[in-house]
């Protein structure tokens, strides 16, 4: 089990950030992702694997300022 | 005018903490110009502000510039305006587009960084680069501030040293304009959190 933005979802061996985005059906264009407090660079979404029990925050960034 | 006259009823211990602080502001548009004014009035000792852009007529509907500053580099116009407010904040400016390669050249002294960019991809670039370079320093970003109303939906999300202020939803689109009041609310909340964090970390 991992926690993504407050929702518990099933964990699978070798689960990547990309897998989580697919499971959650997040299609935001611009994201920042933190796993257990550590920011994961965009270039690592396909390779960074998430451990069981991890807390994941997917932060949606919106233009304007 | 003396320092005591300017700061009036400021608590002297808190004022000393703010006067010793160096804060970075990335961008000098609607967010950045409002943040800079709030922090200057509060008594932050040094601001580092970078922006590549020039003041244009459509900036005046929400950014802290004046008609006679159209065409000037924003950072120069902003420094001029801040120096008219207070002599107690040193303003260091860079007319530059910020990227991961110049981030630490410009902002190495900044204890806390305030993200004040317009575009989401620039916000993401700064969040990634700052967090990689300075994981121990706070970054206060803004996301979702266009339009009017829904003041009650503007909130602060804390993710360790990363703090994001806004409604997380409102983006420019037909019927949703960039409006001075809501931009200023978010900018003031960014400045407010920055001042609070400085006091907390000095304890």
């Amino acid at each position: 089990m991992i926690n993504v933005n407050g929702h518990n979802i099933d964990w699978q061996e070798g689960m990547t950030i990309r897998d989580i985005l697919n499971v959650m059906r997040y299609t935001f264009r611009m994201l920042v992702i933190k796993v257990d407090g550590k920011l994961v660079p965009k270039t690592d979404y396909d390779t960074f694997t998430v451990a069981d029990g991890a807390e994941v925050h997917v932060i949606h960034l919106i233009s304007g300022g | 005018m003396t320092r005591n006259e300017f700061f009036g009823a400021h608590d002297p211990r808190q004022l000393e903490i703010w006067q010793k602080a160096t804060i970075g502001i990335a961008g000098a548009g609607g967010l950045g110009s409002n943040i800079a004014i709030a922090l200057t009035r509060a008594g932050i000792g040094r601001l580092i502000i970078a922006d590549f852009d020039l003041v244009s007529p459509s900036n005046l509907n929400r950014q802290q510039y004046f008609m006679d500053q159209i065409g000037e580099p924003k950072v120069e116009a902003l420094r001029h305006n801040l120096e008219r407010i207070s002599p107690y904040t040193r303003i260091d400016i860079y007319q530059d587009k910020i990227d991961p390669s110049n981030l630490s050249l410009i902002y190495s002294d900044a204890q806390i960084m305030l993200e004040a960019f317009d575009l989401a991809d620039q916000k993401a670039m700064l969040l990634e680069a700052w967090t990689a370079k300075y994981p121990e320093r706070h970054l206060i970003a803004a996301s979702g501030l266009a339009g009017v109303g829904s003041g009650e939906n503007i909130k602060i999300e804390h993710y360790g040293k990363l703090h994001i202020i806004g409604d997380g939803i409102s983006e420019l689109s037909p019927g949703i304009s960039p409006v001075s009041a809501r931009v200023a609310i978010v900018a003031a909340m960014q400045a407010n959190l920055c001042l609070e964090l400085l006091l907390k970390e000095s304890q």
Side-chain angles (χ1 to χ4, degrees):
Chain A
M1 195 78 85
I2 59 173
N3 189 283
V4 183
N5 288 6
H7 304 283
N8 287 323
I9 65 169
D10 288 333
W11 176 81
Q12 286 156 5
E13 184 78 46
M15 202 172 197
T16 64
I17 296 289
R18 187 73 59 199
D19 295 332
I20 292 171
L21 294 176
N22 289 337
V23 169
M24 298 302 290
R25 298 182 182 182
Y26 286 153
T27 56
F28 307 134
R29 201 172 56 83
M30 198 52 63
L31 300 172
V32 167
I33 295 182
K34 291 195 106 178
V35 177
D36 291 329
K38 199 173 177 314
L39 198 138
V40 180
K42 209 169 299 299
T43 48
D44 295 352
Y45 287 0
D46 291 313
T47 53
F48 187 97
T49 56
V50 176
D52 194 12
E55 188 178 14
V56 181
H57 288 289
V58 180
I59 304 162
H60 181 194
L61 290 176
I62 298 166
S63 288
Chain B
M1 177 178 72
T2 67
R3 223 173 73 117
N4 283 346
E5 284 171 334
F6 183 91
F7 289 108
H10 263 49
D11 177 276
R13 197 192 60 85
Q14 295 185 344
L15 178 59
E16 193 189 345
I17 293 163
W18 293 335
Q19 280 274 271
K20 283 181 180 163
T22 298
I23 302 300
I25 303 174
L31 291 170
S33 62
N34 278 295
I35 291 168
I37 286 177
L39 293 181
T40 297
R41 292 197 193 278
I44 292 297
R46 181 180 168 210
L47 296 178
I48 304 172
I49 307 169
D51 193 300
F52 67 93
D53 210 1
L54 308 178
V55 178
S56 69
S58 69
N59 296 151
L60 299 184
N61 64 48
R62 69 192 180 286
Q63 306 184 15
Q64 298 295 344
Y65 299 104
F66 298 94
M67 285 189 285
D68 58 8
Q69 293 179 318
I70 290 169
E72 288 181 30
K74 284 186 178 177
V75 287
E76 282 180 20
L78 185 55
R79 178 167 65 181
H80 180 73
N81 296 343
L82 297 172
E83 285 172 349
R84 288 185 65 200
I85 291 171
S86 167
Y88 303 109
T89 300
R90 173 179 151 192
I91 312 293
D92 290 340
I93 57 170
Y94 295 84
Q95 195 190 349
D96 244 329
K97 197 166 168 72
I98 299 159
D99 60 40
S101 71
N102 64 16
L103 186 68
S104 59
L105 295 174
I106 295 174
Y107 292 106
S108 63
D109 290 342
Q111 296 161 246
I112 296 177
M113 174 65 118
L114 289 100
E115 179 278 316
F117 286 142
D118 184 18
L119 299 174
D121 60 345
Q122 290 292 296
K123 292 173 185 283
M125 177 278 295
L126 183 68
L127 265 58
E128 278 196 14
W130 184 263
T131 308
K133 190 89 191 169
Y134 303 112
E136 75 292 354
R137 300 191 201 176
H138 292 282
L139 170 60
I140 304 173
S143 177
L145 47 89
V148 297
S150 306
E152 66 277 16
N153 293 338
I154 296 172
K155 56 190 188 302
I156 311 180
E157 300 278 6
H158 303 279
Y159 309 96
K161 301 276 182 184
L162 171 64
H163 315 270
I164 300 192
I165 301 179
D167 65 15
I169 295 169
S170 300
E171 191 153 27
L172 293 184
S173 56
I176 302 185
S177 313
V179 184
S180 59
R182 213 153 183 266
V183 174
I185 290 171
V186 173
M189 286 177 70
Q190 287 180 277
N192 184 46
L193 178 59
C194 173
L195 294 164
E196 181 189 14
L197 289 171
L198 288 169
L199 296 184
K200 272 190 184 162
E201 306 233 312
S202 72
Q203 282 166 0

